Amino acid sequence: MVKLPWFSLYAEDWITSPSLVRMNCAQEGAYIRLLCHAWLEKDCGLPQETAQLMKLARWRGRSKGFEAVEECLIVHPENPSRYTNRRLFEEWKKSRHISESNKKAAEARWNRQKVALDPLQGRAKHTDRTSKGFSPI
């Protein structure tokens, strides 16, 4: 499983989002905390129980006002028993794909045989990458 420790936050999209314009600071803070929690989950998801969401979001007091935060969540497309955020889930899938592709490319680079110039002889020699660096075959 690929770890994705960070995600992009598009400032203009965030500030101008119709959902966020209607939120107060407490609601906005709870929402960004839930996005962060979702991002770090293996499925980019959140529990559907309001009490659990409130705890993750560090929401204090009654659930009044928390509805605005929950309205930004959708049923997870791959796990109907969980929530996610549509935009975050799309970005998460793209990031996972890129990360996995980069990992495969790096493994291929490190595992393939290389031809390097022997600085002393001025001719090519075959090398293989090992955990201790380059070594002749």
Side-chain angles (χ1 to χ4, degrees), residues 70-128:
E70 284 186 286
E71 288 171 5
C72 296
L73 304 174
I74 62 167
V75 173
H76 198 292
E78 296 175 5
N79 187 350
S81 66
R82 291 176 59 82
Y83 280 147
T84 192
N85 173 270
R86 182 195 53 78
R87 171 81 180 266
L88 186 74
F89 186 66
E90 290 170 7
E91 296 293 332
W92 180 81
K93 286 192 308 185
K94 282 192 267 184
S95 293
R96 269 191 60 194
H97 175 72
I98 290 168
S99 183
E100 288 169 356
S101 297
N102 289 346
K103 182 180 178 183
K104 287 177 185 174
E107 287 171 353
R109 281 193 306 273
W110 281 100
N111 292 329
R112 74 174 179 226
Q113 196 175 41
K114 291 277 186 181
V115 175
L117 289 178
D118 184 343
L120 299 176
Q121 303 292 327
R123 60 182 180 186
K125 68 177 181 179
H126 290 281
T127 60
D128 188 16

Side-chain angles (χ1 to χ4, degrees), residues 10 14 19 26 33 37 41 47 50 52-53 56 65-66 75 94 96 105 116-117 124 131 134 136:
Y10 299 91
W14 182 265
S19 299
R33 286 191 58 80
H37 278 288
E41 289 292 321
T50 300
Q52 286 183 333
L53 289 172
L56 288 173
F66 194 73
V75 173
K94 282 192 267 184
R96 269 191 60 194
L117 289 178
S131 61
F134 289 107

Side-chain angles (χ1 to χ4, degrees), residues 14-31:
W14 182 265
I15 296 297
T16 61
S17 166
S19 299
L20 285 167
V21 168
R22 293 188 300 268
M23 288 184 184
N24 63 34
C25 290
Q27 292 165 327
E28 189 173 351
Y31 181 44

